[in-house]
Amino acid sequence: DWRNGVCLMSFEAHASSISSLVFTPDGRFVFSGSRDGTIRCWRPDGSPCGSPYQAHELHVTSLAVDSEGGYLC
């Protein structure tokens, strides 16, 4: 909670720290990119959806979702 600095949820499945986080426009999914080179899909309640995607050998520095929610880049 940004108002009091209390952590409300953790995404703990990456092998390294999360470097990027983005919500889909409809709020149904969250994507996280990590220093371990993976991208993961989550539901807003913190449960994972699917397997991690190995993006590349280096860390993921940023993620974006288009306004329609159809593309992740």
Side-chain angles (χ1 to χ4, degrees):
D1 184 339
W2 63 270
R3 292 169 291 211
N4 57 21
V6 174
C7 179
L8 300 176
M9 183 179 308
S10 293
F11 295 94
E12 298 180 13
H14 287 286
S16 189
S17 60
I18 292 174
S19 52
S20 183
L21 194 70
V22 64
F23 280 83
T24 56
D26 60 8
R28 292 181 51 211
F29 300 102
V30 182
F31 290 94
S32 59
S34 173
R35 293 188 166 282
D36 65 10
T38 62
I39 297 171
R40 289 182 174 263
C41 177
W42 308 85
R43 291 175 187 84
D45 67 2
S47 61
C49 45
S51 299
Y53 173 72
Q54 185 67 45
H56 46 73
E57 293 180 15
L58 301 175
H59 61 275
V60 177
T61 58
S62 62
L63 294 171
V65 176
D66 75 300
S67 61
E68 303 284 318
Y71 294 98
L72 173 70
C73 43

